[in-house]
Amino acid sequence: MKKRPVFRTELCDILGVEYPVMLAGMGTAGGYTLTAAVSNAGGLGMLGATFLWPEELRSWIRKIRSLTDKPFGVDILLPASIPKDFDLDKLKDYIPQEHTEFIRKMARDFGVEGAKMKEWPISEEFGRSQFQVVKEEKVPFFALGLGTPDWLIPEAHEAGIKIVSLVGNVRNAVRIKKMGADIIIAQGHDAGGHTGRIGTFALVPQVVDAVAPTPVVAAGGIADGRGLVAALALGAIGAWCGTAFLATHECFWDFAELGMLNKPTIEAYYRKLIECDEEAEQISRIYSGKTTRAFRNMLNEAWEKSGLKTLPMPLQSMLVSDLLQGMMEKGEAEYYPMFAGQITGLIKKIRSSQEVMDDIIGGAVEIMQKQFPSEVTVKS
Ligand SMILES: Cc1cc2nc3c(=O)[nH]c(=O)nc-3n(C[C@H](O)[C@H](O)[C@H](O)COP(=O)(O)O)c2cc1C
């Protein structure tokens, strides 16, 4: 058996893993298979559980445990701005008529009227019910994109669960540190999915300085050993990688079991990941009301041209969800929201998670042991 290189930071001790690499939480992409595969490859797998109902989440956690005995975590999106009690029918009344008509017309034009996305009641209550499962199943890490509610951290700590919070600026990093988050993910503008305004290179050192000694992990545009070493040089203790693991055989397919994806859409996603360069994405608010980086497509372009004002979360996702489901079911893959980061130009083929991890770690070892000592002269 090939000897595995040693590449450790403090993050390995905090997470109980071999390598300082975390799989980014990715709803509708990173299911139980990918989570277990990344944990087995030496990193920390992170289940993208945003769209999972509590019993689905429980079943997927158990599936992960049947595939690995290594640690892993669960990630959800819980926006701070959502209403406390979610009454779907009442909220729908706040969607302006012209918005509804625009989306209806698109659905008519594409022959996808009547499609229904599986209900996803974005609410604090729903987040609570997901957390309850994480607690009952004794998952050691719980990650949150978009917001971390006040009640969560004390309850998680009482249950022995560590909280991992994503931030996109220093102000939120300081706030989350004061609340007691265990690990802060400084996620730069380069990232796929929901993303902020500050680039990874500028964000990471500023967050590191502002929240020390709370551990900071860098995210956004890290897909090989160069990115990992750069993240460490900026003061982070590891990397949180999304786009790099999207381009793996283990990604996506679990969500087809739940009807959220299908074969043509997954194949088109893989094709885009391989073919597209760093300019192929665009930031749009069409999908959720918040800025999201996804491959540019006819749908987000039509939205930008429409001149319609984006609605706040969760109204915007309620507006477009059935249309997106219809596009996916019909195989109109070009219209499906394919989130991806600016690092896509680096992706040349679909690999296994183990190969991606070997590449990241092998590249980082090479830089630290051979490249730096031969190219950089250091004296003190
Ligand atoms: C397909 C996709 C789905 C995502 N979904 C989520 C999510 O559900 N929860 C979350 O916290 N972040 C989500 N993100 C953001 C990632 O957690 C992560 O911050 C980002 O992928 C890092 O940048 P990178 O893609 O350049 O590696 C998503 C990203 C992608 C690409």
Side-chain angles (χ1 to χ4, degrees):
M1 215 170 85
K2 218 176 122 206
K3 211 169 142 240
R4 286 162 78 87
V6 174
F7 193 95
R8 293 186 69 82
T9 71
E10 186 195 338
L11 185 64
C12 301
D13 300 322
I14 296 172
L15 302 176
V17 299
E18 192 179 357
Y19 296 129
V21 175
M22 301 172 83
L23 167 66
M26 296 185 286
T28 70
Y32 58 87
T33 309
L34 182 63
T35 304
V38 172
S39 288
N40 283 333
L44 187 87
M46 187 62 72
L47 179 65
T50 297
F51 301 96
L52 300 183
W53 281 75
E55 287 320 304
E56 289 166 346
L57 174 56
R58 193 185 305 282
S59 141
W60 281 25
I61 289 170
R62 291 182 182 177
K63 283 186 179 175
I64 296 169
R65 290 221 159 100
S66 73
L67 297 169
T68 185
D69 57 2
K70 305 273 191 316
F72 65 93
V74 166
D75 169 281
I76 64 164
L77 290 176
L78 189 51
S81 57
I82 51 169
K84 285 239 178 306
D85 299 306
F86 188 93
D87 182 337
L88 194 81
D89 293 329
K90 278 203 192 115
L91 269 175
K92 272 192 175 149
D93 296 343
Y94 290 100
I95 299 179
Q97 187 68 17
E98 57 172 336
H99 286 65
T100 312
E101 272 163 19
F102 176 79
I103 295 295
R104 256 199 216 130
K105 181 175 180 317
M106 289 206 83
R108 255 197 322 273
D109 291 351
F110 285 97
V112 297
E113 280 169 295
K116 273 248 134 312
M117 186 178 267
K118 183 175 152 260
E119 214 173 286
W120 173 45
I122 324 171
S123 68
E124 191 139 343
E125 233 12 72
F126 190 64
R128 246 184 202 283
S129 61
Q130 291 171 312
F131 173 63
Q132 186 58 30
V133 173
V134 167
K135 219 158 68 170
E136 286 164 10
E137 296 295 319
K138 300 189 178 357
V139 178
F141 302 99
F142 191 46
L144 295 113
L146 294 183
T148 304
D150 296 341
W151 54 265
L152 180 68
I153 299 183
E155 282 190 35
H157 286 171
E158 208 180 303
I161 298 167
K162 287 201 163 75
I163 293 293
V164 178
S165 292
L166 268 76
V167 300
N169 62 30
V170 170
R171 184 173 47 84
N172 276 330
V174 171
R175 197 172 52 79
I176 296 286
K177 172 207 161 88
K178 284 194 186 134
M179 286 167 67
D182 299 284
I183 299 172
I184 292 180
I185 310 291
Q187 190 224 41
H189 177 72
D190 326 25
H194 286 98
T195 189
R197 292 177 297 274
I198 322 294
T200 306
F201 246 78
L203 180 71
V204 174
Q206 296 187 71
V207 170
V208 167
D209 287 355
V211 304
T214 303
V216 175
V217 170
I222 304 172
D224 67 7
R226 293 170 291 186
L228 175 57
V229 171
L232 301 183
L234 295 173
I237 57 170
W240 166 272
C241 303
T243 299
F245 288 108
L246 277 181
T248 61
H249 304 296
E250 296 92 354
C251 195
F252 300 122
W253 298 98
D254 301 337
F255 289 91
E257 288 171 20
L258 301 178
M260 295 186 201
L261 283 173
N262 60 13
K263 198 160 179 259
T265 310
I266 296 172
E267 285 173 348
Y269 214 140
Y270 280 147
R271 255 194 325 275
K272 287 233 174 202
L273 284 162
I274 293 168
E275 288 167 7
C276 285
D277 63 17
E278 78 287 3
E279 304 234 45
E281 301 88 22
Q282 90 170 26
I283 301 266
S284 171
R285 289 180 188 261
I286 179 178
Y287 301 114
S288 69
K290 292 190 181 286
T291 48
T292 308
R293 185 186 298 287
F295 286 124
R296 189 173 295 112
N297 67 18
M298 306 273 275
L299 184 59
N300 45 42
E301 288 193 337
W303 178 260
E304 301 307 323
K305 275 197 210 124
S306 75
L308 290 171
K309 195 164 171 264
T310 308
L311 304 176
M313 207 162 184
L315 297 182
Q316 184 70 26
S317 10
M318 288 167 64
L319 173 71
V320 298
S321 58
D322 293 344
L323 174 69
L324 300 182
Q325 179 72 16
M327 298 290 199
M328 190 275 292
E329 281 170 10
K330 202 175 168 215
E332 296 282 359
E334 290 302 316
Y335 294 82
Y336 185 79
M338 296 183 183
F339 298 164
Q342 290 181 319
I343 202 69
T344 38
L346 217 57
I347 292 170
K348 302 290 176 249
K349 60 179 176 181
I350 306 302
R351 297 178 290 176
S352 68
S353 305
Q354 181 73 60
E355 286 174 291
V356 172
M357 185 66 78
D358 289 349
D359 182 38
I360 295 175
I361 298 301
V365 168
E366 173 89 17
I367 293 168
M368 301 289 274
Q369 286 190 327
K370 300 199 182 116
Q371 206 171 314
F372 273 174
S374 68
E375 288 179 8
V376 185
T377 308
V378 183
K379 272 194 196 136
S380 59

